[in-house]
């Protein structure tokens, strides 16, 4: 301990390496010899805060190290007698020490203390011897002693005198007695069993009552202090008439064993002395002599019967033995002495005492096993098995007790701690002795487990799905994400943030860092984005911070913000340039199909078609979901050749949105009538001059030439195939999967006079196109070739 530090400090101050080696070897030898106790001495009755020792200097450490390691001094027992100044390292006495009060029945007075260091834990034992100071004079129990001596007493007789009591010890204690000058007595000194000095009065010359009835002597007791102190008492000698028998005790020494819990008034022993004389000379009375003041307080003697009884509370821990001297005196003044020795037997009347020396009130939950939590001592003032103790922890707790030295125990952890399971422990330590009737005491130690950031945040869901209707307002709250952390304090404080991904645009969503509320930053368009996902990170506030991630999926709900758009017929085409319907068309004839789309989704994009306006309301109908325009009945002669239909296209949104399509329909007797001019409904354009006239003439010539050539080819083919047997033609023509059109179609190209605009019209076939060489089936007439009249369309005017 301290000697090791002192030697190493000396070695460091020495620059000689050989001297350091020698000092180190010497230090090891001294440490092996067990020199671990600091010993000091202090004179009693010193003033308060008197200097005892410089602990820092003796241990070879700086005062700053004492403060850093929280050095403190702990005295044995309940009263702390010393104080350690951590700033200077000086050990002082807290109060003035009185050796006679601290150690009343001990020749040596040694006070034990221990110095505790932390970081790491270390203990150094020490002791302070309280040196006696000659501050007490010898005192006689009585200021006057009366001795009755027969005049017939022969010279050389001895008379035991009351001893003086000196609370000091050693050389300061009682050392000598002296007697005032006289002609009859001298003084003889003796030493008792315990080393106490006593005085006997020795008769040197025969007494003569007739000459002198009494003598007054001065007895002086002197101690060995410097300067010496003394005390006096008067010895009065009463000379009696002759009494030739002295009392005689049955035993010189009475030995008694008495339990320390003996109640008051209990009989200890009865001493008896016999005197064969008669009358007053034979009547014996008893009294204590050569007995300490403490023994006189604990025991009482009946002067008439010689019974000794308990008068106070015996305590084995205070004194194990008591020795008393009893004097028996008869009526003639003759006396005899005996000794009574009382051995106090220990009784288990003291419960163990637990003294807490060091305590760590809070330990982190990641503290490793075997971490020291507290240091305490157990003391039982009884002896033997009554003073043996055991310690245990109540309950199944992750702590254990480790004995160290001098009945000291360390409270250590023996398992890993988890604050999230148990945040604090109330540890009850029970100390029990081994007495027949076992006594115990308890001490509760409260230990808090401080939090360590060992738990990451946990989201309540792995994937959060939230929805928002398009065209929302900016900074609209659509929900929140939530993560919890099992830690405490700032370790459980969770912050939220979006995880930025490199190479991607910043999302249109924001998360509140405090509460996890989710906001949409700007209005969304379902037609642009229907859903998107972002990663949300929850981070706690611990060192180091821990985090977790969850997926936030935002689904955009459609709103009916788009009206239907008509693709066919084109919105910018003229209603007059419409469809051709033959007058022989029956009910259900497909005239045209209105095609429309809606950019919305769901029922907002479900379209329905209805006829809003028609020239002949009962002639046509529109498919509710298909948009097909068909004849509702057969075309009649009375029906106007020009029909105009307005088809309303409506979605199912709330509120619904709609659009209209206008169809122009021409009723023709045959496709040869296709030359009908649409100019009847269109405003007449002014002639463009000779160029228009030239174009009209050329077109008429080409058409006439093409018609003549086609008629000639048909007549020639018909004549050639009259005698041929034609195969049976199927009643129904199947659709082709080869990618070609399954039926014949007529293409109409109309050129408006005076403009470069053209219109390409795709018409449904009126009749199946049959090869000219195929014969009709059974019961059928041969059909003509696909009508070429449809190729001749009427010219459209401007």
């Amino acid at each position: 301990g301290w000697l090791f530090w002192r030697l190493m400090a000396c070695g460091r101050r020495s620059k000689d390496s050989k001297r350091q080696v020698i000092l180190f070897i010497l230090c090891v030898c001294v440490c092996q010899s067990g020199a671990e106790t600091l010993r000091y001495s202090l004179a009693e009755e010193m003033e308060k805060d008197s200097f005892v020792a410089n602990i820092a200097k003796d241990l070879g450490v700086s005062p700053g190290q004492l403060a850093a390691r929280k050095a403190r001094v702990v005295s044995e027992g309940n009263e702390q007698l010393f104080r350690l100044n951590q700033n200077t390292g000086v050990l002082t006495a807290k109060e003035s020490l009185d050796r006679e009060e601290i150690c009343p029945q001990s020749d040596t007075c040694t006070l034990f203390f221990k110095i505790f260091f932390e970081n790491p834990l270390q203990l150094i034992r020490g002791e302070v011897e309280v040196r006696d100071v000659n501050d007490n004079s010898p005192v006689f129990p009585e200021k006057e002693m009366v001795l009755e001596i027969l005049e017939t007493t022969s010279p050389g007789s001895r008379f035991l005198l009351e001893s003086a009591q000196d609370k000091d010890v050693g050389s300061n204690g009682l050392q000598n007695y002296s007697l005032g000058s006289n002609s009859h007595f001298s003084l003889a000194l003796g030493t008792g069993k315990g080393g106490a000095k006593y005085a006997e009065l020795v008769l040197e010359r025969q007494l003569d009552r007739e000459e002198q009835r009494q003598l007054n002597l001065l007895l002086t007791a002197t101690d060995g202090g410097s300067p010496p102190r003394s005390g006096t008492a008067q010895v009065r000698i009463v000379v009696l008439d002759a009494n030739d028998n002295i009392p005689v005790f049955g035993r010189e020494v009475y030995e008694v064993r008495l339990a320390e819990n003996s109640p008051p008034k209990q009989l200890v022993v009865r001493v008896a002395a016999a005197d064969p004389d008669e009358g007053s000379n034979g009547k014996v009375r008893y009294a204590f002599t050569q007995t300490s003041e403490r023994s006189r307080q604990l025991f009482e003697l009946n002067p008439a019967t010689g019974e000794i009884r308990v008068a106070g509370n015996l305590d084995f821990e205070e004194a194990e033995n008591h020795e008393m001297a009893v004097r028996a005196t008869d009526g003639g003044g003759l006396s005899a002495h005996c000794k009574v020795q009382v051995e106090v037997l220990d009784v288990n009347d003291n419960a163990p005492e637990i003294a807490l020396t060091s305590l760590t009130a809070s330990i982190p939950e990641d503290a490793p096993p075997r971490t020291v939590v507290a240091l305490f001592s157990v003391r039982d003032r009884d002896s033997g098995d009554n003073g043996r103790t055991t310690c245990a922890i109540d309950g199944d707790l992750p702590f254990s007790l480790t004995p160290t030295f001098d009945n000291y125990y360390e409270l250590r952890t023996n398992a890993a701690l988890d604050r999230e399971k148990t945040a604090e422990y109330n540890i009850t330590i029970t100390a029990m002795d081994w007495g027949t009737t076992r006594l115990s005491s308890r001490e509760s130690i409260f230990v808090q487990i401080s939090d360590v950031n060992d738990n990451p945040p946990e989201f309540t869901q792995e994937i959060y799905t939230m929805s928002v209707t398009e065209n929302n307002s900016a900074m609209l709250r659509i929900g929140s994400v939530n993560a919890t952390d099992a830690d405490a304090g700032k370790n459980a404080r969770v912050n939220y943030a979006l995880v930025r991904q490199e190479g991607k645009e910043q999302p249109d969503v924001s998360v509140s860092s405090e509460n996890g509320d989710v906001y949409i930053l700007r209005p969304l368009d379902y037609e642009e984005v229907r859903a998107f996902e972002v990663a949300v990170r929850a981070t706690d506030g611990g060192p180091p911070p821990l985090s977790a991630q969850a997926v936030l999926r935002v689904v955009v709900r459609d709103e009916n913000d788009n009206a239907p758009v008509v693709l066919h017929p084109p919105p910018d085409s003229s209603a007059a340039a419409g469809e051709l319907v033959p007058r022989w068309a029956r009910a259900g004839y497909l005239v045209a199909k209105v095609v429309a789309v809606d950019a919305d989704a769901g029922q907002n994009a479900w379209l329905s078609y209805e006829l809003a306006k028609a020239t002949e309301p009962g002639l046509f109908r529109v498919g509710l979901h298909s948009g097909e325009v068909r004849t509702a009945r057969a075309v009649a002669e009375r029906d106007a050749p020009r029909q105009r239909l307005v088809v309303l296209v409506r979605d199912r949104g709330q509120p619904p949105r709609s659009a209209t399509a206008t169809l122009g329909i021409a009723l023709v007797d045959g496709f040869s009538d296709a030359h009908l001019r649409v100019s009847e409904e269109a405003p007449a354009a002014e002639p463009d001059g000779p160029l228009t006239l030239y174009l009209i003439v050329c077109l008429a010539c080409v058409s006439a030439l093409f018609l003549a050539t086609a008629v000639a080819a048909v007549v020639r083919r018909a004549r050639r195939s009259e005698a041929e047997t034609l195969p049976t033609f199927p009643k129904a023509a199947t659709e082709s999967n080869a990618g070609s059109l399954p039926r014949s179609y007529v293409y109409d190209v109309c050129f408006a006079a005076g403009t470069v605009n053209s219109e390409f019209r795709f018409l449904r076939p009126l009749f199946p196109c049959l090869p000219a060489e195929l014969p009709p089936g059974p019961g059928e007439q041969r059909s003509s070739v696909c009508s070429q009249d449809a190729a001749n369309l009427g010219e459209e005017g401007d």
Side-chain angles (χ1 to χ4, degrees):
W2 67 273
L3 186 56
F4 172 79
W5 292 347
R6 294 286 295 169
L7 293 175
M8 291 306 296
C10 293
R12 286 193 296 267
R13 289 193 295 266
S14 175
K15 298 182 180 179
D16 191 349
S17 59
K18 293 183 179 181
R19 184 177 301 175
Q20 291 183 1
V21 173
I22 295 174
L23 287 175
F24 177 78
I25 296 175
L26 180 59
C27 174
V28 172
C29 295
V30 172
C31 291
Q32 295 297 325
S33 65
E36 298 178 353
T37 302
L38 301 174
R39 291 183 173 85
Y40 305 101
S41 64
L42 177 68
E44 65 170 332
E45 302 296 340
M46 295 293 289
E47 295 181 356
K48 179 181 177 181
D49 294 329
S50 296
F51 175 86
V52 178
N54 191 326
I55 298 297
K57 180 179 179 181
D58 294 340
L59 295 180
V61 297
S62 64
Q65 290 180 312
L66 295 179
R69 298 186 60 187
K70 299 179 180 179
R72 59 191 181 279
V73 63
V74 177
S75 301
E76 290 190 357
N78 299 326
E79 186 176 2
Q80 300 299 317
L81 302 176
F82 301 98
R83 180 186 293 115
L84 177 62
N85 190 326
Q86 293 184 351
N87 297 324
T88 62
V90 174
L91 181 69
T92 58
K94 294 179 66 176
E95 301 292 341
S96 177
L97 303 180
D98 187 355
R99 190 201 65 81
E100 288 75 24
E101 182 180 352
I102 298 174
C103 308
Q105 295 187 357
S106 177
D107 291 339
T108 60
C109 185
T110 303
L111 302 179
F112 299 93
F113 66 92
K114 294 180 176 63
I115 299 176
F116 292 89
F117 292 88
E118 296 182 3
N119 300 321
L121 179 65
Q122 186 177 6
L123 182 146
I124 297 178
R125 290 177 292 189
E127 59 186 46
V128 175
E129 179 184 2
V130 181
R131 300 192 308 273
D132 184 42
V133 176
N134 191 24
D135 56 345
N136 293 282
S137 300
V139 177
F140 287 92
E142 297 175 358
K143 287 298 182 179
E144 184 180 37
M145 292 179 281
V146 178
L147 293 179
E148 296 179 347
I149 304 175
L150 285 173
E151 61 181 351
T152 58
T153 303
S154 59
S157 298
R158 292 173 177 263
F159 304 92
L160 185 64
L161 299 175
E162 287 285 344
S163 297
Q165 303 293 326
D166 194 338
K167 293 183 179 180
D168 295 325
V169 296
S171 61
N172 294 326
L174 181 62
Q175 297 294 325
N176 191 23
Y177 290 94
S178 62
L179 188 65
S181 61
N182 66 93
S183 59
H184 291 279
F185 295 93
S186 63
L187 199 62
L189 302 180
T191 303
K193 183 177 180 180
K197 296 183 181 300
Y198 61 90
E200 291 180 324
L201 200 61
V202 180
L203 181 60
E204 296 291 340
R205 187 167 68 89
Q206 185 79 35
L207 294 174
D208 187 1
R209 181 179 178 276
E210 285 70 22
E211 180 182 347
Q212 191 175 7
R213 289 190 174 187
Q214 66 179 20
L215 290 84
N216 291 318
L217 306 177
L218 181 63
L219 180 63
T220 303
T222 307
D223 62 20
S226 178
R229 289 175 175 264
S230 62
T232 61
Q234 289 290 333
V235 180
R236 184 161 59 92
I237 307 298
V238 178
V239 181
L240 302 177
D241 285 338
N243 181 16
D244 54 353
N245 291 290
I246 63 174
V248 177
F249 282 98
R251 286 184 289 175
E252 291 185 0
V253 178
Y254 292 84
E255 295 181 351
V256 182
R257 305 181 69 185
L258 190 63
E260 63 175 327
N261 60 349
S262 299
K265 302 299 181 181
Q266 178 178 334
L267 179 63
V268 178
V269 68
R270 183 178 182 274
V271 296
D275 191 324
D277 291 326
E278 293 181 357
S280 62
N281 292 331
K283 187 178 180 179
V284 179
R285 295 186 66 83
Y286 303 92
F288 282 129
T289 182
Q290 294 289 324
T291 303
S292 66
E293 185 66 27
R294 182 57 179 164
S295 298
R296 292 173 185 266
Q297 295 173 357
L298 295 177
F299 302 96
E300 62 180 6
L301 174 62
N302 190 319
T305 62
E307 292 181 348
I308 299 177
R309 295 183 179 272
V310 177
N313 296 321
L314 299 178
D315 191 352
F316 173 85
E317 289 70 37
E318 180 182 343
E320 300 180 10
N321 296 280
H322 295 275
E323 182 175 315
M324 296 166 286
V326 180
R327 179 178 62 196
T329 306
D330 61 16
L334 298 180
S335 63
H337 300 82
C338 72
K339 290 184 179 181
V340 178
Q341 295 179 351
V342 179
E343 179 183 356
V344 181
L345 302 179
D346 184 40
V347 175
N348 191 22
D349 57 345
N350 292 284
E353 299 174 358
I354 300 176
L356 194 60
T357 302
S358 176
L359 172 63
T360 303
S362 178
I363 58 175
E365 60 179 323
D366 61 349
R370 306 295 298 166
T371 298
V372 177
V373 178
L375 178 68
F376 63 93
S377 62
V378 178
R379 175 192 177 198
D380 195 317
R381 294 188 297 165
D382 295 320
S383 62
D385 289 341
N386 296 332
R388 291 175 55 197
T389 59
T390 58
C391 287
I393 298 176
D394 296 352
D396 185 14
L397 300 177
F399 297 90
S400 62
L401 296 178
T402 303
T404 55
F405 48 82
D406 290 347
N407 293 326
Y408 275 85
Y409 293 85
E410 290 178 341
L411 177 64
R412 295 175 177 263
T413 61
N414 61 0
L417 303 177
D418 190 350
R419 189 207 63 83
E420 287 69 41
K421 293 182 179 179
T422 305
E424 58 189 23
Y425 291 93
N426 190 1
I427 306 169
T428 301
I429 299 174
T430 301
M432 183 176 294
D433 61 25
W434 287 77
T436 304
T437 302
R438 306 189 70 174
L439 301 179
S440 63
S441 59
R442 294 172 180 267
E443 180 73 20
S444 294
I445 297 177
F446 186 76
V447 177
Q448 280 191 326
I449 308 302
S450 59
D451 185 50
V452 173
N453 192 28
D454 56 350
N455 291 281
E458 292 186 4
F459 281 97
T460 56
Q461 300 174 221
E462 293 183 358
I463 299 177
Y464 291 85
T465 302
M466 302 178 187
S467 59
V468 58
T469 303
E470 64 173 333
N471 302 319
N472 57 282
S473 60
M475 294 305 296
L476 175 66
R477 181 183 181 278
I478 62 173
S480 64
V481 296
N482 184 35
T484 59
D485 197 308
D487 293 319
K490 67 176 182 179
N491 296 332
R493 197 176 302 126
V494 178
N495 290 324
Y496 304 89
L498 295 178
V499 179
R500 305 294 181 185
Q501 297 182 357
E502 297 182 1
K504 290 189 178 182
E505 296 182 357
Q506 184 175 354
D508 297 327
V509 66
S510 174
V511 177
S512 173
S513 62
E514 296 295 331
N515 53 25
D517 288 347
V518 180
Y519 297 89
I520 298 299
L521 299 178
R522 63 178 182 82
L524 301 179
D525 190 352
Y526 175 82
E527 287 70 40
E528 292 182 3
V529 56
R530 299 192 175 186
F532 61 88
E533 291 183 353
V534 294
V536 180
R537 177 185 292 116
T539 306
D540 60 25
L546 302 179
S547 62
Q549 291 189 7
V551 176
L552 172 62
R553 177 176 175 80
V554 179
V555 178
V556 183
R557 293 194 301 266
D558 183 47
E559 188 178 53
N560 192 25
D561 57 344
N562 292 281
V565 177
V566 179
L567 301 180
H568 181 78
D572 57 349
S573 64
S574 175
E579 309 295 337
L580 299 179
V581 178
R583 286 188 175 275
W584 47 259
R586 300 181 180 277
Y589 178 81
L590 178 64
V591 177
K593 183 174 182 178
V594 178
V595 180
V597 294
D598 195 315
D600 294 320
Q603 68 177 15
N604 295 330
W606 295 351
L607 302 180
S608 61
Y609 303 84
E610 58 183 282
L611 191 59
K613 182 189 285 188
T615 305
E616 293 289 340
L619 180 57
F620 300 97
R621 60 182 174 85
V622 179
L624 179 64
H625 301 296
S626 64
E628 294 178 346
V629 180
R630 295 180 181 271
T631 56
R633 59 177 174 80
V635 179
E637 289 295 333
R638 67 177 181 276
D639 294 329
R642 299 284 181 183
Q643 298 288 330
R644 185 173 180 272
L645 304 180
V646 177
V647 178
L648 178 66
V649 183
R650 178 181 299 163
D651 59 27
R652 294 190 182 182
Q654 292 296 330
R657 293 178 178 267
S658 61
T660 59
T662 303
L663 291 174
I665 300 175
L667 301 180
V668 298
D669 293 331
F671 284 104
S672 61
D673 297 334
H675 61 278
L676 296 175
R677 305 291 183 181
V678 295
S679 60
E680 296 178 2
E681 298 179 2
E686 295 181 359
D688 293 335
L691 180 59
T692 303
L693 180 61
Y694 296 154
L695 289 175
I696 294 174
V697 172
C698 292
L699 182 60
C701 294
V702 172
S703 298
L705 182 60
F706 177 75
L707 181 61
T709 304
V711 170
V714 170
V715 172
R716 183 179 178 182
R717 183 181 290 266
R719 289 179 179 177
R720 186 187 305 170
S721 58
E722 286 181 352
E724 296 179 1
T725 303
L726 297 176
T728 303
F729 186 76
K731 295 182 179 181
T734 60
E735 302 240 349
S736 170
N737 295 326
S740 59
L741 295 173
R743 303 187 181 110
S744 298
Y745 289 82
V746 177
Y747 298 88
D748 179 25
V749 181
C750 298
F751 294 95
T755 179
V756 294
N757 294 332
S758 65
E759 183 176 359
F760 184 85
R761 184 173 296 123
F762 177 73
L763 301 178
R764 183 181 179 86
L766 298 178
F767 305 102
C769 187
L770 303 177
E773 63 272 18
L774 295 179
E780 296 181 356
Q781 295 182 357
R782 183 177 178 183
S783 299
S784 63
V785 187
C786 294
S787 175
Q788 297 295 326
D789 294 338
N792 299 321
L793 302 176
E795 296 180 356
E796 299 179 357
D798 294 333

